[in-house]
């Protein structure tokens, strides 16, 4: 049943102000609901419901929180003084109830109309935004189309200019070739018309019968080629000398080129001379054809089938050099999982697995090295790989549970330990099969049968020691979760397997005591939630009498004292809880009754997220209590420490600003806070 908080009110002709102390509750958790003649303020475990004397404009209702006090300002619908805040029903409860229900109905209708208006406004805004975006996209599209048209026009101009240049080059080559042919034809015609005349002197030195015959043959050949009759030079006498227009050397070169030497030899041998002009024409035609023909090799003969092989790839995509590094890195990270893939696993090849994937002993040694180095996350991965290679490797499973416990992954640690105990149970019964019903029945809690520890003699000493460690680690995980009953049960199993261990005996007694105290504390929490404050206070006192260092009981009792109005007592209890939370972990472990540092006690393990949350909550409770006592300096110190633990809390930032503003005005300066060690480092 909710409690009714205290409140104060004041009025003017225009508005009514209702002030409600929040009693240490954060302003962000308070809920304010106002209708035209009804006001409700809810902050657990308090509920304030007021039927107002007059009517107000609920649309202009404003709520502000300052220095732990929630102020609700209500604008009056009709100006004037009320004289009282609540409605006087004159003993007619039904009329008051009907009036409240009518106000709530009007409020619901108003909220529905407002929601509909907001929905219409949102739809209109979305349409306007859509039109604007469509206009922007259309403008961008037109701009892109214009750019494309310009690019197309420039490309066409360049293409046509290239075509014109190619045509001009072809015409120039054709004209040059035609000019060359004309020159050759002209040279041939001039050579045919030219007359070659040779005169031989009767008195030429060295002239014998052979020279005369040769000269006559040459003259006859020249005459035959030129179509000129042979002249008789004897009639001109010895003084007449006919000189040819062509030099002797040039004449010999032309004779050799035209084949007239053979003609001369033929004349000397009394054989008819062959015409030389066709041979010269043949050579000229071959010279012209060399410019037009291109050499093409003969087709290569095929000798058989050609085999083509490609570089093997894991990915069914073409290889790109820019992505090769990323692909290799991805394959190296996921090689273990790729080998089981139905498609990619075939592309890895038979020798794709190395010792780091197939040898569980090597992997366990790697995990042990990582654990000793403090890299618990990597050690968990190494043990997991070893278990993938050999699922029955119990030492790997036990060590993996220890790493998970160190990391604070308690649920996973409990799951691994439960699986390990189930496999040990199979070994104890000498059954090679892993029965799922055995795995679900292991643990002894939730009505499941306890492990058959009497069969542990079937285990070898090493496996028995692993089973003991597994029970201890699962019990430590349960204790850190606050489940002291299950933790004590697991340590009881471990002690039955190792009865001569004094440390196990001490831890077991410690957990049994915490379990008993925790049950009393849970009963007190239930009474506090039901609003039975006095009875809850007595139960908290009983729990703290059994376990003075039970931090959860101290913190919750501090909140209870705030609700009872005992502010100074709340500050003392919060300070006691913070002192325990901020204690040196090494010193606490040395002085504590538990020999196992992982067995949870009255507080969460040092450095855990849960311990940080406890410190934050207790700091806020003590800071709220200081605000109630108007000790703003100490309240600011607590809120600043809390903000350092949770820097992203916007509500906490606003609270710190308000307290600083209050201190700047000179209010609440009494009892300035003494310097203290920072809370964050201690947690």
């Amino acid at each position: 049943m909710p409690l009714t908080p205290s409140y104060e009110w004041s009025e003017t002709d225009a508005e009514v102000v209702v002030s409600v102390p929040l009693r240490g509750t954060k302003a962000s958790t308070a809920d304010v609901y106002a209708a035209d003649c009804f006001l409700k303020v809810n902050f657990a475990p308090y509920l304030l419901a007021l039927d107002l004397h007059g009517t107000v404009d609920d649309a202009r209702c404003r709520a502000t929180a300052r220095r732990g006090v929630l102020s609700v300002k209500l604008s009056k619908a009709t100006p004037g003084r009320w004289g009282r805040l609540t409605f006087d029903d004159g003993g007619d409860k039904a009329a008051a109830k009907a009036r409240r229900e009518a106000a709530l109905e009007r409020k619901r209708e108003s909220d529905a109309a407002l929601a509909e208006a907001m929905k219409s406004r949102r739809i209109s805004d979305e349409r306007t935004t859509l039109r604007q975006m469509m206009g922007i996209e259309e403008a961008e599209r037109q701009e892109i189309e214009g750019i494309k048209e310009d690019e197309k026009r420039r490309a066409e101009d360049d293409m046509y200019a290239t075509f014109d240049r190619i045509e001009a080059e072809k015409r120039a080559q054709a004209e040059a070739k035609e000019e060359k042919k004309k020159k050759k034809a002209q040279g041939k015609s001039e050579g045919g018309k030219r007359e070659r005349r040779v005169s031989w002197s009767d008195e030429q030195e060295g002239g014998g019968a052979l020279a005369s015959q040769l000269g006559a043959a040459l003259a006859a050949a020249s005459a035959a080629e030129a179509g000129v009759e042979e002249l008789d030079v004897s009639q001109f006498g010895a003084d007449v000398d006919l000189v040819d227009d062509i030099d002797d050397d040039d004449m010999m070169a032309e004779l050799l080129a035209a084949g007239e030497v053979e003609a001369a030899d033929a004349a000397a041998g009394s054989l008819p001379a062959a015409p030389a002009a066709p041979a010269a024409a043949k050579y000229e035609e071959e010279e012209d054809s060399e410019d037009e023909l291109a050499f093409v090799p003969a087709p290569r003969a095929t000798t058989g089938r050609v085999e083509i092989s490609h570089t093997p790839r894991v990915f069914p995509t073409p290889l790109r050099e820019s992505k090769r590094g990323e692909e290799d890195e991805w394959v190296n990270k996921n090689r273990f999982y790729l080998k089981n893939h139905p498609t990619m696993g075939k592309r890895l090849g038979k020798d794709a697995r190395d010792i780091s994937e197939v040898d569980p002993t090597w992997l366990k040694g790697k995990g042990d090295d990582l654990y000793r180095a403090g890299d618990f996350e990597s050690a968990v991965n190494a043990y997991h790989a070893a278990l993938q290679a050999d699922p029955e490797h119990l030492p790997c499973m036990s060590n993996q549970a220890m790493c998970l416990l160190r990391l604070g992954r308690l649920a996973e640690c409990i799951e691994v330990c439960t699986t390990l105990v189930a496999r040990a149970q199979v070994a104890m019964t000498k059954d090679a099969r892993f029965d799922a019903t055995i795995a679900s029945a292991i643990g002894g809690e939730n009505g499941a049968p306890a492990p058959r520890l009497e069969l542990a003699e079937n285990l070898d000493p090493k496996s028995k020691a692993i089973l003991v460690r597994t029970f201890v680690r699962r019990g430590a995980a349960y204790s850190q979760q606050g489940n002291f009953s299950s933790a004590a049960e697991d340590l009881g199993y471990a002690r039955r397997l190792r009865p001569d261990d004094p440390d196990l005996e001490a831890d077991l007694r410690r957990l049994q005591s915490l379990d008993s105290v925790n049950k009393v504390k849970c009963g007190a929490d239930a009474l506090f939630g039901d609003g039975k404050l006095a009875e809850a206070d007595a139960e908290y006192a009983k729990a703290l009498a059994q376990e003075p260092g039970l931090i959860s009981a101290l913190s919750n009792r501090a909140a209870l004292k705030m609700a009872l109005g005992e502010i100074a007592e709340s500050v003392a209890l919060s300070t006691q809880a913070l002192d325990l939370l901020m204690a040196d972990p090494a010193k606490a472990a040395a002085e504590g009754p538990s020999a196992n540092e992982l067995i949870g006690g009255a507080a969460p393990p040092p450095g855990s997220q849960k311990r940080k949350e406890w410190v934050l909550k207790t700091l806020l409770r003590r800071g709220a209590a200081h605000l109630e006592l108007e000790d703003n300096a100490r309240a600011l110190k607590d809120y600043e420490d809390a903000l350092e633990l949770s820097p992203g809390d916007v509500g906490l930032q606003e609270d710190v600003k308000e307290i600083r503003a209050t201190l700047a005005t000179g209010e609440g300066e009494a009892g300035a806070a003494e310097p203290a060690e920072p809370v964050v480092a201690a947690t």
Side-chain angles (χ1 to χ4, degrees):
M1 181 176 179
L3 304 176
T4 301
S6 60
Y7 66 91
E8 297 178 355
W9 75 283
S10 60
E11 68 168 340
T12 63
D13 291 339
E15 64 181 12
V16 176
V17 180
V18 181
S19 300
V20 184
L22 294 178
R23 297 290 185 180
T25 304
K26 293 181 62 174
S28 58
T29 61
D31 182 25
V32 179
Y33 184 83
D36 54 5
C37 59
F38 176 72
L39 174 65
K40 181 176 70 174
V41 180
N42 181 19
F43 57 99
Y46 299 99
L47 174 62
L48 177 63
L50 299 175
D51 291 305
L52 301 177
H53 179 71
T55 58
V56 297
D57 185 0
D58 56 345
R60 294 192 294 165
C61 173
R62 297 292 181 269
T64 58
R66 180 180 177 84
R67 297 174 57 188
V69 178
L70 179 66
S71 299
V72 182
K73 295 182 179 181
L74 305 171
S75 299
K76 295 180 179 180
T78 304
R81 296 280 180 169
W82 289 356
R84 56 180 301 162
L85 178 63
T86 57
F87 174 69
D88 185 9
D89 55 7
D92 189 355
K93 300 294 184 181
K97 183 178 180 181
R99 182 175 181 267
R100 177 184 295 186
E101 291 178 352
L104 295 177
E105 182 63 26
R106 290 192 296 271
K107 178 64 174 177
R108 283 191 289 269
E109 293 176 356
S110 175
D111 291 344
L114 180 61
E116 186 65 26
M118 292 178 64
K119 180 180 179 181
S120 301
R121 176 64 180 273
R122 183 174 65 255
I123 294 174
S124 176
D125 292 343
E126 290 176 355
R127 290 176 178 173
T128 303
T129 304
L130 179 60
R131 294 192 188 97
Q132 293 176 354
M133 291 300 298
M134 291 176 63
I136 294 173
E137 292 177 356
E138 179 64 21
E140 292 178 351
R141 188 185 63 79
Q142 292 179 358
E143 183 179 358
I144 293 173
E145 289 295 332
I147 295 174
K148 290 168 63 176
E149 288 295 331
D150 293 341
E151 292 290 340
K152 180 181 178 181
R153 185 172 58 256
R154 285 196 294 269
E156 290 178 349
D157 294 342
D158 294 342
M159 181 180 64
Y160 291 136
T162 302
F163 287 163
D164 295 341
R165 186 178 70 254
I166 292 174
E167 291 296 332
E169 291 177 355
K170 287 183 178 180
R171 287 195 300 270
Q173 291 177 359
E175 292 175 359
K177 190 173 182 180
E178 188 67 25
E179 184 68 24
K180 183 177 180 182
K181 288 182 178 180
K182 289 180 179 180
K183 290 182 179 180
K184 287 183 178 180
Q186 183 179 1
K188 185 188 297 184
S189 61
E190 292 177 356
K193 294 179 180 180
R194 185 174 54 190
E195 295 182 358
R196 297 182 178 87
R197 297 178 181 180
V198 180
S199 62
W200 297 88
S201 176
D202 293 337
E203 299 179 358
Q204 185 177 4
E205 296 180 359
L210 181 61
S212 300
Q213 294 177 0
L214 179 60
L218 292 175
S222 298
E225 179 182 0
V228 181
E229 296 182 356
E230 184 180 0
L231 298 177
D232 186 6
V233 297
S234 60
Q235 60 182 335
F236 295 102
D239 296 335
V240 179
D241 187 13
L242 298 177
V243 181
D244 193 10
D245 296 334
I246 303 175
D247 193 38
D248 292 340
D249 294 335
D250 294 338
M251 182 65 180
M252 182 58 68
E254 291 181 3
L255 290 173
L256 290 175
E260 294 182 355
V261 174
E262 286 110 344
D265 292 337
S270 301
L271 295 175
K282 176 182 177 182
Y283 295 148
E284 290 178 358
E285 291 177 0
E286 291 180 354
E287 182 180 357
D288 294 340
S289 63
E290 287 180 357
D291 297 336
E292 300 175 358
L293 297 178
F295 174 74
V296 178
R300 184 178 302 170
T302 57
T303 59
R305 183 177 179 181
V306 179
E307 297 289 342
I308 300 176
S309 61
H310 300 276
T311 304
R313 276 178 51 76
V314 176
F315 302 96
T317 56
L319 174 64
R320 288 179 171 82
E321 292 296 331
S322 60
K323 298 293 183 180
R324 186 167 185 173
E326 297 179 11
E327 291 182 357
D328 293 343
E329 182 180 0
W330 188 89
V331 170
N332 292 332
K333 288 183 179 179
N334 299 277
R335 185 180 296 274
F336 179 79
Y337 304 98
L338 285 176
K339 69 177 184 293
N340 297 323
H341 195 275
T343 303
M344 292 185 174
K346 299 178 182 178
R347 299 182 180 137
L348 287 175
K350 297 181 179 179
D351 55 348
R353 300 173 62 187
D354 55 15
I355 189 174
S356 64
E357 296 176 345
V358 299
D359 190 351
T361 304
W362 187 91
L363 290 167
K364 177 185 176 298
K366 187 65 176 178
D368 295 342
D369 294 339
L370 292 169
Y371 176 82
R372 284 189 287 268
D375 190 356
F376 303 124
E377 191 70 42
S378 300
V380 168
N381 295 333
Y383 291 134
H384 178 73
L387 290 172
Q388 289 288 331
D390 183 8
E392 303 296 332
H393 203 296
L394 299 185
C396 281
M397 199 175 297
S398 177
N399 292 356
Q400 186 184 34
M402 185 63 181
C403 292
L404 293 171
L405 183 61
R406 291 284 188 180
L407 291 170
R409 293 155 61 175
L410 305 179
E412 297 178 51
C413 174
I414 293 172
E415 181 181 357
V416 171
C417 290
T418 301
T419 304
L420 193 154
V421 173
R423 296 189 184 279
Q425 183 86 346
V426 173
M428 287 189 291
T429 56
K430 296 184 178 180
D431 189 353
R433 298 172 302 165
F434 179 74
D435 192 352
T437 60
I438 296 177
S440 63
I442 289 300
E445 67 273 2
N446 300 324
R452 299 177 61 188
L453 300 181
E454 67 276 5
L455 299 177
E457 299 301 329
N458 295 331
L459 296 175
D460 59 276
K462 185 176 180 181
S463 299
K464 187 176 180 180
I466 291 175
L467 186 59
V468 172
R469 289 197 295 270
T470 302
F471 279 126
V472 172
R473 287 165 184 173
R474 189 170 69 173
Y478 278 133
S479 67
Q480 291 187 20
Q481 285 184 338
N483 189 355
F484 299 113
S485 177
S486 298
E489 191 174 14
D490 274 344
L491 259 69
Y493 297 148
R495 185 172 175 274
R496 286 175 57 188
L497 293 173
R498 190 182 292 172
D500 55 347
D501 191 333
D503 293 336
L504 283 177
E505 177 67 24
D507 288 336
L508 179 58
R509 287 198 302 268
R510 172 67 173 163
L511 288 174
Q512 290 172 345
S513 174
L514 288 173
D515 183 31
S516 175
V517 174
N518 188 62
K519 291 178 180 178
V520 177
K521 180 254 178 188
C522 291
D525 292 342
L527 292 172
F528 188 13
D530 293 338
K532 301 176 182 179
L533 304 185
E535 297 176 12
D537 190 21
E539 290 297 314
Y540 281 133
K542 182 179 177 181
L544 290 172
Q546 297 180 29
E547 183 64 42
L550 190 62
I551 299 175
S552 58
L554 288 170
S555 181
N556 290 358
R557 195 182 186 195
L560 177 65
K561 292 294 185 181
M562 281 280 292
L564 291 173
E566 301 176 10
I567 310 302
E569 188 68 18
S570 175
V571 171
L573 290 170
S574 299
T575 303
Q576 186 179 354
L578 285 172
D579 290 342
L580 293 172
L581 288 170
M582 296 165 58
D584 186 4
K587 183 178 179 182
E591 296 177 355
S594 175
N596 188 347
E597 62 174 349
L598 295 175
I599 296 294
S608 63
Q609 180 65 24
K610 189 174 182 180
R611 191 183 185 101
K612 178 181 176 181
E613 293 173 357
W614 280 25
V615 172
L616 178 62
K617 185 184 296 185
T618 308
L619 278 171
L620 292 176
R621 286 176 179 171
R622 191 173 70 173
H626 283 312
L627 287 176
E628 289 290 329
L629 296 174
E630 298 185 356
D631 191 352
N632 293 328
R634 286 192 172 89
L636 177 61
K637 180 65 172 64
D638 286 340
Y639 275 85
E640 287 177 341
D641 289 341
L643 184 60
E644 191 172 354
L645 289 172
S646 181
D649 193 328
V650 179
L652 208 53
Q653 295 174 1
E654 295 296 330
D655 292 339
V656 170
K657 290 180 180 179
E658 289 185 7
I659 298 173
R660 287 175 178 170
T662 303
L663 285 174
T665 60
E667 300 179 11
E669 294 183 353
E674 298 177 0
E677 294 295 329
V679 175
V680 177
T683 58

